[in-house]
Amino acid sequence: MDDTSLANDTDNDDVTPEERLRAAQTIAYPSPAARPRKNQVDCPPFVVVLFGATGDLARRKLLCGLAYLAVSNLTSGMRIIGTSLDDLTDDQFRAFARESIESVGARKLTDAQWAEFAPLLSYVAQSAGPAALAARVAKEEKELGPGVQRLYYLSVPPKAASAVITLLKEAKLIDRSRVIMEKPFGQDLESAIALNAELHQTFKERQIFRIDHFLGKEAAQNILAFRFANGLFEPIWSRNFIDHVQIDIPESLGLDARAAFYEPTGAYKDMVVTHLFQVMAFVAMEPPTALEPRAISEEKNKVFRSLEPIQPEDVVRGQYIGYRDEHGVNPESDTETFIALRARIDNWRWAGVPFYLRTGKKLAEGQRIISIAFKEAPKSMFPANSGIGAQGPDHLTFDLADESKVSLSFYGKRPGPGMRLDKLSMQFSTEETSRAGDVLEAYERLILDALHGDHTLFTTADGIESLWERSIPLLDNPPPVKSYPAGSWGPNSIHQLIAPHAWRLPFERVWRGKKPT
Ligand code: BG6
């Protein structure tokens, strides 16, 4: 192994847990704008091999994120080798990357940035075999100089992961490497255990980064700051004060060209087992002893262990009308493109507080919110027609969009005579701060963390296995899918599922826009 000294490089077997903890606590990423130029950062040079390089995720997020990291001051030396089942030349792959970044990427590159980034990209078809990949990695490593590390991003369906691991083993590329595994991690408990066992035959746990990009969202991390860095909220963060919680991630987009992935996966495995339950753990967990991987995953895993098995009668599965006519979809498909469910966490903090989760494709709006509904106040002191409680309970709402927002809605007095109550709100948006430009897109943040060897925002084998275990009743006996029209909020039975409460979305009042500067 190369002797690369990294402040937080967990690839070193001699590092003690205390040293690792200290290192994790000392990571401080300066603002990209304020950074010195390249080669002055504490990140070693990296060869990144992107498997599934011509797939949907690479096109929408990964190439753009890698481009930003490569040309920003956050990394020092990076080469990206794309690989997939397609046969492309280096130039064709560069053209694909440029088109992706320009058409769907969240950040555009200037011509100068593109000229800097393009030569860092190359391509090896998976069919060229292990020797070709090894040769290309060796060539890039030589050009990068000493101390190079390797990062493999497996943006491939669960079934293809095995073949990639075998390829890496045959290419003798396991040393000095880290591997990012995309979700869903397995398809059920059995396959997740098998995948973990297979991975562990090749990689040490510290080399494995199971990604859940929702945890890389600025707003998701802000839940931890909000809960644990303030004295105000944690004392009321329990069943004594909270009535119910909603984690609601409707999407207006449809399948795009992802039928081959989506058909065997569906909304529960694509979104709930991964993103929604992970976010739920941030909302529900006990305070971790440190912002450090082991402490955070211990607390998250306790939430998963207290999660009651998901029962079919607590679930609404839906399928948008027209899904079965999509290209690549079985005309009799039973795959759900929508799911809403009631989850229960049976511990001292949360017993009796329902968590309502909803997500689906082709819904009325694209939103990503967590809404905490507080218990209603006694109403009798206010006149009968005052309007108290008329607009639902007071809420705290997190918006998980990139420009993260938080809103606290409450009843306040309507100006004028008498005592009429209106629902008012206090809102915060990162957009209003001078640091808004520093926000890293979720994949950028997590790839950067993996380059730094920091596991804090990644999921663990234990956590994922407990979630699959709690999913058994639903997976064994899924309720039939109900159809819903594209552009709606899902099948009608979602209202019975949440009664006597109501879904927060669609919002009665929209988020306030950015303040004029
Ligand atoms: C992905 C799912 O993990 O997350 C997609 O596979 C989904 O189906 C996407 O659309 C949503 O993520 P984001 O960050 O775009 O809201």
Side-chain angles (χ1 to χ4, degrees):
M1 234 165 94
D2 279 4
D3 180 22
T4 309
S5 59
L6 242 188
N8 57 330
D9 187 358
T10 51
D11 282 6
N12 183 347
D13 275 329
D14 302 332
V15 176
T16 64
E18 291 72 27
E19 283 168 329
R20 203 169 293 150
L21 171 56
R22 218 174 313 120
Q25 287 168 336
T26 54
I27 304 169
Y29 303 124
S31 124
R35 296 296 303 241
R37 275 307 287 168
K38 283 183 184 300
N39 300 324
Q40 298 182 33
V41 290
D42 54 2
C43 182
F46 262 91
V47 171
V48 177
V49 183
L50 176 55
F51 290 88
T54 53
D56 178 71
L57 182 64
R59 190 174 123 75
R60 284 191 303 119
K61 304 277 186 176
L62 301 178
L63 288 165
C64 185
L66 286 167
Y68 177 71
L69 292 178
V71 303
S72 78
N73 309 320
L74 296 164
T75 55
S76 59
M78 198 195 272
R79 294 298 157 92
I80 295 136
I81 304 172
T83 176
S84 80
L85 301 178
D86 295 322
D87 274 323
L88 297 184
T89 62
D90 288 349
D91 281 340
Q92 284 170 327
F93 180 53
R94 288 182 189 126
F96 173 83
R98 184 160 203 179
E99 189 279 328
S100 307
I101 295 168
E102 278 172 8
S103 58
V104 284
R107 300 186 200 263
K108 309 298 171 206
L109 295 184
T110 61
D111 286 346
Q113 285 172 325
W114 176 253
E116 191 182 341
F117 180 57
L120 311 183
L121 287 173
S122 61
Y123 188 83
V124 178
Q126 218 156 303
S127 57
L133 182 63
R136 184 61 65 98
V137 170
K139 174 178 173 288
E140 302 296 347
E141 286 185 340
K142 199 159 166 230
E143 289 176 18
L144 279 170
V148 183
Q149 305 283 309
R150 300 157 176 169
L151 180 73
Y152 307 127
Y153 199 120
L154 270 59
S155 176
V156 297
K159 280 195 182 132
S162 248
V164 173
I165 297 165
T166 307
L167 177 80
L168 288 168
K169 225 171 2 185
E170 287 173 4
K172 300 199 172 34
L173 286 171
I174 306 305
D175 267 4
R176 289 181 282 121
S177 73
R178 293 169 191 168
V179 58
I180 299 185
M181 302 291 299
E182 255 303 329
K183 53 100 248 195
F185 194 84
Q187 289 282 342
D188 52 22
L189 180 59
E190 211 184 355
S191 56
I193 292 175
L195 182 54
N196 276 322
E198 188 185 352
L199 264 178
H200 287 145
Q201 280 173 14
T202 306
F203 293 99
K204 303 223 165 77
E205 179 61 23
R206 62 185 152 69
Q207 291 176 280
I208 305 169
F209 293 77
R210 297 174 190 80
I211 197 164
D212 188 297
H213 81 277
F214 269 56
L215 299 185
K217 289 180 189 279
E218 195 78 24
Q221 295 155 56
N222 206 24
I223 298 169
L224 300 185
F226 193 86
R227 286 190 58 194
F228 301 130
N230 298 294
L232 179 57
F233 298 102
E234 205 43 31
I236 56 167
W237 211 259
S238 73
R239 60 188 172 134
N240 297 330
F241 300 95
I242 291 177
D243 183 69
H244 71 275
V245 176
Q246 297 182 25
I247 301 179
D248 204 358
I249 323 262
E251 296 186 281
S252 53
L253 54 84
L255 260 201
D256 293 334
R258 298 171 75 213
F261 163 78
Y262 203 82
E263 260 286 271
T265 309
Y268 184 72
K269 295 177 183 175
D270 182 34
M271 294 291 287
V272 179
V273 181
T274 52
H275 310 319
L276 276 70
F277 279 154
Q278 294 295 332
V279 168
M280 184 181 84
F282 271 15
V283 173
M285 72 187 189
E286 296 302 315
T289 50
L291 209 52
E292 175 266 333
R294 198 170 47 182
I296 298 254
S297 42
E298 241 167 42
E299 296 308 335
K300 278 171 56 193
N301 292 352
K302 280 201 253 173
V303 173
F304 299 148
R305 288 198 293 272
S306 302
L307 178 66
E308 292 191 355
I310 307 299
Q311 300 301 338
E313 58 271 23
D314 288 334
V315 175
V316 175
R317 289 171 75 237
Q319 189 185 74
Y320 65 79
I321 297 168
Y323 174 74
R324 293 178 185 181
D325 304 327
E326 300 267 13
H327 181 67
V329 170
N330 176 348
E332 289 172 17
S333 173
D334 180 51
T335 300
E336 79 282 352
T337 60
F338 170 98
I339 188 150
L341 62 88
R342 181 171 39 224
R344 296 188 176 87
I345 300 172
D346 190 29
N347 64 18
W348 277 90
R349 194 187 276 260
W350 295 113
V353 178
F355 283 69
Y356 297 102
L357 276 48
R358 169 170 68 172
T359 186
K361 301 285 185 203
K362 288 220 176 177
L363 295 178
E365 285 175 30
Q367 289 270 3
R368 306 168 189 122
I369 65 149
I370 301 170
S371 179
I372 317 282
F374 293 100
K375 292 206 161 152
E376 290 196 37
K379 302 189 180 73
S380 57
M381 73 167 265
F382 291 98
N385 60 355
S386 67
I388 182 150
Q391 290 163 280
D394 33 325
H395 290 100
L396 182 63
T397 305
F398 295 89
D399 185 342
L400 297 181
D402 285 343
E403 61 288 359
S404 100
K405 296 189 201 117
V406 185
S407 150
L408 182 62
S409 62
F410 57 93
Y411 285 90
K413 185 185 170 304
R414 182 186 295 177
M419 179 56 90
R420 288 282 306 163
L421 298 162
D422 278 334
K423 198 86 177 281
L424 309 172
S425 71
M426 293 191 283
Q427 294 187 8
F428 162 79
S429 162
T430 323
E431 281 285 286
E432 292 162 11
T433 70
S434 60
R435 294 274 183 174
D438 291 353
V439 171
L440 289 176
E441 200 277 330
Y443 286 97
E444 293 165 1
R445 163 70 199 236
L446 293 174
I447 293 172
L448 188 63
D449 283 1
L451 294 180
H452 280 267
D454 181 357
H455 278 88
T456 311
L457 297 174
F458 291 83
T459 60
T460 59
D462 276 4
I464 289 170
E465 288 171 12
S466 335
L467 286 174
W468 283 124
E469 196 178 350
R470 271 136 197 89
S471 304
I472 289 173
L474 173 64
L475 297 181
D476 281 356
N477 192 13
V481 287
K482 296 183 173 161
S483 59
Y484 64 93
S488 70
W489 288 93
N492 282 334
S493 44
I494 54 167
H495 301 295
Q496 286 139 27
L497 179 79
I498 203 170
H501 316 293
W503 293 99
R504 274 305 294 296
L505 292 174
F507 281 137
E508 279 168 31
R509 284 156 299 133
V510 292
W511 290 99
R512 276 199 285 277
K514 192 180 171 186
K515 277 199 193 126
T517 42

